Amino acid sequence: MTKSKTWTQKGFTYIELLMTMGILVILISMVIINLNPAQQFAQARNTQRISDINAIVIAVTQRTADHQMGFEEDCSVGAIPAIAVKMTSDVGGYNIASCLVPTYLSLLPFDTKAPGAHYTNSTDYDTGYYIQKSAVTGRTTITAPSAELGQTISVAQ
């Protein structure tokens, strides 16, 4: 009686490894394409812009309610302009911070992706947002011109 030797193979062949890696690459590519991280970040920034604008609109509304004569009552910047003007401490902008900070907002929100936008204090800031008040309806509108994904973001009070 002779014993036959059986050869047992352990591990994977190169073909099996290549097939597995190929399938993984395809699956990972599909997940990345579907998630699209750049678009997700842009959507998150747009959501932050909406939140910022809403906070400013609420602060303007509260100040207007506190001063029945209107927003500009004892506010050194004067009436909200009828044309869209950037809210900034720079010359030519609408310097709204002194009217809202710190009574209605702890600090003035700004668009992190707008060129030059920043907030150091009430005398050095650029929100990147625009404000205007309609002469016809009397509604105040705040707009985020740097919105992404082709969205137009504005809130009217």
Side-chain angles (χ1 to χ4, degrees):
M1 255 204 233
T2 60
K3 289 186 180 180
S4 68
K5 293 185 180 179
T6 58
W7 184 266
T8 58
Q9 184 179 19
K10 294 184 180 183
F12 298 104
T13 66
Y14 287 121
I15 299 292
E16 291 171 331
L17 287 174
L18 287 175
M19 292 294 289
T20 303
M21 289 186 345
I23 291 170
L24 284 174
V25 166
I26 291 170
L27 289 174
I28 290 171
S29 298
M30 290 173 57
V31 167
I32 289 174
I33 289 170
N34 285 333
L35 290 180
N36 193 352
Q39 184 176 0
Q40 295 295 325
F41 284 128
Q43 184 60 45
R45 286 189 295 272
N46 279 348
T47 302
Q48 182 62 50
R49 289 178 181 102
I50 293 167
S51 176
D52 289 349
I53 289 174
N54 279 323
I56 296 170
V57 165
I58 290 168
V60 168
T61 303
Q62 288 174 336
R63 180 170 170 71
T64 303
D66 288 350
H67 300 86
Q68 288 82 20
M69 299 299 289
F71 179 83
E72 55 276 350
E73 182 67 25
D74 77 17
C75 183
S76 61
V77 296
I80 296 172
I83 59 168
V85 176
K86 187 187 276 191
M87 292 181 282
T88 179
S89 59
D90 295 339
V91 175
Y94 188 67
N95 192 351
I96 196 171
S98 62
C99 302
L100 301 179
V101 177
T103 306
Y104 301 99
L105 293 168
S106 59
L107 57 90
L108 206 52
F110 64 94
D111 187 342
T112 57
K113 286 294 188 177
H118 67 282
Y119 184 86
T120 306
N121 56 41
S122 292
T123 59
D124 179 20
Y125 71 92
D126 181 344
T127 63
Y129 300 128
Y130 285 73
I131 188 169
Q132 76 181 80
K133 185 173 186 176
S134 170
V136 177
T137 63
R139 295 181 70 175
T140 300
T141 303
I142 299 177
T143 308
S146 296
E148 299 170 78
L149 303 175
Q151 290 184 333
T152 301
I153 298 175
S154 68
V155 175
Q157 158 237 3

